[in-house]
Amino acid sequence: MAASGTPGTPRVLRAMNDRAALELLVAHGPLTRTRLGELTGLSKPTASQLLARLEAAGLVRTTGNVTGRPGPNAQLYEINPAAAHVAALAVDQEGITAAVADITGQVLGEHRVNAEATAESVRNRTGELVAEAVDGALAAAGLTRDDLRQTVIGTPGALDPHTGVLRYAPHLPGWQSRTMRDELAEVLGTPLVIENDVNLAAVAEQHHGTAQDFDDFALVWADEGVGAAIVLGGTLLRGATGGAGEIGYMPLPGAPLARGGDDSAARPDAGGGFQKLVGSPAVVELAREHGIQAPTATKALASALRTPGAGDAVLTELARRLATGLASVVAVVDPELVVLSGQVAQAGGERLRELVEAEMTGLALPRPQLRISAVEGDPILIGALQTALADARHTVFDTA
């Protein structure tokens, strides 16, 4: 007789059916027993047993009846939102935003902690600030840390898998500890993932944005910082040190080189490359050179869009710079789609996209589709939530 837990045994088959049913309820929302049986291929008695088992385990619950059709009203079943909760955080130079959601993905609470990352009073308080942000979101949701199953934090830069050090983020000095991930996991009491913020924006784009039907795409993020996420075969490309997609450092004509030696990725004087051409500060300076005064890239581009002549010159030059950097990415990766995201791309909108596309026309390169991000809200926070939910469901939905 096969041992319990061996593939093909009743216990494993039941667990596989349980997970399939739970994933269907996540994807489709409330379903009747009959419809769930049709989607899973299970008989009515087996579907009934499955639902009774999942209800007893606290993973599903009834949620009313289907009405308005002949015959008895059919009971509807849905994922029990209280089965698990997750936390997601987005870190930037000005502070930390946290959100808490139930296992269905419904956001229950958010909280923002403002803290300038380079301030002396902030550098040694990373754990405290993260806890404050999470606790604020939990309080808004009426929950406590004991309710959390998984936490995902999005930050600029990337954790080196060999050293545990956050590289490519010199503007976050408080996050440079080799033991930061373990320290934060202990503070929060949950499994913890620290992920590159642009990678998370790509996750959001895959699930909720313009890349939903693409397995091969590049998301180029132009904001205060500049970076890219490369998705090939549906999988994020990370690189040997987690630095795949750090195109802000990419050497380009007209930009200073990013130098600094072997530890340049962790040094504040390593600036240069593509970021110096299309990051938010560069956009503000470019607008100023053409007589458009604005304190932020968003306002500068808004002015450029409504200012004939000078505004046209700003948008044309910015498009040329973006196209120059994109050409390098496309030549190496050959993606089917390039998504422009971040503050600069969103502010420039469709007009900027058209100009970038025109600049790339005629280059001896593959011609990917070029789109502006379609994610509504903070794509980094949304991507962190999506990642946390996937991790939590992997564990919670395992009934073996």
Side-chain angles (χ1 to χ4, degrees):
M1 176 180 289
S4 176
T6 302
T9 63
R11 176 183 176 184
V12 172
L13 292 175
R14 281 196 302 270
M16 292 172 63
N17 288 335
D18 289 349
R19 181 177 291 276
L22 290 165
E23 295 290 355
L24 285 167
L25 288 170
V26 167
H28 294 276
L31 296 171
T32 63
R33 180 200 62 181
T34 299
R35 183 58 180 151
L36 189 63
E38 291 172 352
L39 291 171
T40 58
L42 300 175
S43 66
K44 288 183 179 181
T46 302
S48 294
Q49 293 171 5
L50 178 151
L51 286 167
R53 186 166 61 247
L54 295 179
E55 192 170 12
L59 294 175
V60 302
R61 68 181 186 182
T62 57
T63 179
N65 300 282
V66 176
T67 59
R69 66 181 188 180
N73 292 337
Q75 188 82 61
L76 283 166
Y77 294 85
E78 67 177 3
I79 296 291
N80 180 6
H85 299 86
V86 302
L89 296 92
V91 178
D92 57 61
Q93 197 166 354
E94 303 300 324
I96 303 171
T97 302
V100 170
D102 63 36
I103 197 68
T104 71
Q106 178 67 39
V107 175
L108 305 176
E110 292 192 30
H111 188 69
R112 170 77 176 177
V113 174
N114 293 314
E116 188 175 347
T118 55
E120 289 296 330
S121 60
V122 168
R123 293 183 181 217
N124 298 318
R125 297 177 55 223
T126 302
E128 178 185 337
L129 293 170
V130 167
E132 182 182 343
V134 171
D135 287 344
L138 285 168
L143 301 170
T144 69
R145 292 187 198 176
D146 291 338
D147 294 303
L148 289 180
R149 182 63 67 104
Q150 178 75 30
T151 303
V152 172
I153 302 176
T155 73
L159 282 186
D160 187 318
H162 305 292
T163 66
V165 172
L166 185 69
R167 295 169 58 82
Y168 313 103
H171 56 297
L172 298 178
W175 290 78
Q176 306 300 328
S177 167
R178 292 174 180 267
T179 59
M180 179 58 65
R181 180 167 50 190
D182 292 339
E183 292 169 4
L184 294 177
E186 183 175 356
V187 167
L188 297 176
T190 73
L192 176 71
V193 172
I194 298 178
E195 176 63 278
N196 172 261
D197 54 359
V198 181
N199 283 349
L200 292 176
V203 170
E205 209 68 48
Q206 277 182 300
H207 288 87
H208 304 287
T210 192
Q212 291 182 63
D213 298 324
F214 294 83
D215 290 329
D216 298 278
F217 73 95
L219 181 140
V220 175
W221 180 268
D223 207 291
E224 289 294 326
V226 174
I230 310 298
V231 177
L232 300 175
T235 301
L236 279 164
L237 178 67
R238 299 185 179 278
T241 64
E246 289 293 340
I247 62 172
Y249 295 94
M250 187 167 61
L252 287 176
L257 293 177
R259 298 187 182 276
D262 292 338
D263 63 340
S264 62
R267 289 177 54 178
D269 61 345
F274 192 31
Q275 181 165 306
K276 291 293 186 181
L277 295 179
V278 299
S280 294
V283 172
V284 171
E285 179 58 29
L286 175 62
R288 185 177 298 118
E289 291 172 1
H290 288 82
I292 296 175
Q293 303 293 327
T296 67
T298 296
K299 292 182 178 180
L301 289 173
S303 295
L305 286 168
R306 60 176 184 263
T307 306
D312 295 334
V314 170
L315 292 165
T316 299
E317 173 59 18
L318 177 58
R320 185 194 67 78
R321 295 179 183 185
L322 281 166
T324 301
L326 291 179
S328 297
V329 175
V330 170
V332 174
V333 180
D334 187 17
E336 186 178 359
L337 169 72
V338 173
V339 180
L340 298 177
S341 189
Q343 180 186 87
V344 171
Q346 292 292 340
E350 185 62 19
R351 173 80 184 284
L352 179 61
R353 187 205 67 80
E354 291 174 352
L355 289 169
V356 173
E357 189 171 61
E359 286 287 339
M360 296 185 69
T361 300
L363 295 178
L365 293 168
R367 289 288 304 280
Q369 296 184 49
L370 184 65
R371 299 181 183 176
I372 298 290
S373 170
V375 174
E376 296 183 5
D378 182 345
I380 298 167
L381 198 61
I382 292 170
L385 273 175
Q386 190 66 45
T387 303
L389 287 167
D391 292 345
R393 289 168 184 164
H394 180 73
T395 301
V396 173
F397 289 176
D398 184 359
T399 63

